[in-house]
Amino acid sequence: MASFNDQTGKVNLTEIISKANIKMFRTYAVISLLLAPTVGLAASHEEILRLNAVQNPGTQVICHVPLNIAADQNSVTVDYKNSMTVIANQGDTRLYQVITTFIPNGTTTSVLTQRYKLSVITDETGQTHKIDPDSVSVTSPSSAELARINEDQLRNGPASYQSDSMVTVTDFPNFTIQGYDYGPVTECTVLPVKG
């Protein structure tokens, strides 16, 4: 059984992907989308449209945020990373191939890896995100059962909505997505197609 040693003591990786945390992983799988809106520096709808326009097929969008999770009565920080490659961009609708990893600080191994296709449809005030259930695959080096449970949750999860007000353009085309009230901010880097 895999484990690692953080500053608070030894933590079992299977605990990190316990059934109590699986639902949280599903929640974050859709790019940390159902989050409280920001105030102040939120992107305008025109900025969102510009962000969408630069995401040509082959562009990579890499988003990450540190998540604190209770495991073995300790707090463990897990680096949640979404690596999304644009498959198609038809203006208001984009399709991504997504690989999501959850890597505990102090390790290089993901405790859970999710792969799926994600459709994003832009409207006048935000974007709807929907995972293609037929494309979902989840693996875990510690527990095939928990990977199967998470895969079922991703396949059966509802679409989610991200308001434009949740996004802040930092250094175009890079952006952030505001976390829960006083929660972590997801940082996203856009890597355009070279050539």
Side-chain angles (χ1 to χ4, degrees), residues 16 20-29 67-69 102:
I16 293 172
N21 290 327
I22 280 292
K23 202 162 212 168
M24 187 260 334
F25 287 155
R26 187 185 133 238
T27 301
Y28 277 97
L67 302 176
N68 291 314
I69 299 171
F102 299 86

Side-chain angles (χ1 to χ4, degrees), residues 6-149:
D6 68 3
Q7 296 167 343
T8 60
K10 199 163 189 108
V11 177
N12 182 320
L13 292 183
T14 302
E15 272 301 307
I16 293 172
I17 56 172
S18 69
K19 290 180 183 175
N21 290 327
I22 280 292
K23 202 162 212 168
M24 187 260 334
F25 287 155
R26 187 185 133 238
T27 301
Y28 277 97
V30 189
I31 322 169
S32 307
L33 303 172
L34 298 175
L35 308 174
T38 59
V39 287
L41 301 175
S44 68
H45 187 64
E46 290 73 28
E47 287 177 303
I48 297 297
L49 294 177
R50 281 185 60 218
L51 286 173
N52 294 349
V54 299
Q55 295 181 24
N56 297 315
T59 298
Q60 294 205 336
V61 181
I62 311 295
C63 299
H64 66 91
V65 62
L67 302 176
N68 291 314
I69 299 171
D72 284 345
Q73 300 177 352
N74 293 309
S75 178
V76 176
T77 301
V78 175
D79 181 40
Y80 160 79
K81 181 178 176 184
N82 241 339
S83 300
M84 303 179 292
T85 301
V86 179
I87 297 171
N89 184 342
Q90 298 174 341
D92 291 344
T93 303
R94 288 168 320 289
L95 180 64
Y96 298 90
Q97 177 62 54
V98 181
I99 300 173
T100 302
T101 57
F102 299 86
I103 302 174
N105 279 359
T107 73
T108 57
T109 302
S110 179
V111 296
L112 196 69
T113 300
Q114 304 166 330
R115 290 175 175 81
Y116 53 89
K117 289 183 180 170
L118 177 70
S119 292
V120 179
I121 301 168
T122 302
D123 63 25
E124 298 79 27
T125 59
Q127 302 177 83
T128 299
H129 297 79
K130 178 65 179 158
I131 293 174
D132 173 1
D134 295 333
S135 70
V136 175
S137 170
V138 179
T139 58
S140 170
S142 302
S143 174
E145 177 190 359
L146 290 176
R148 183 190 53 74
I149 292 168

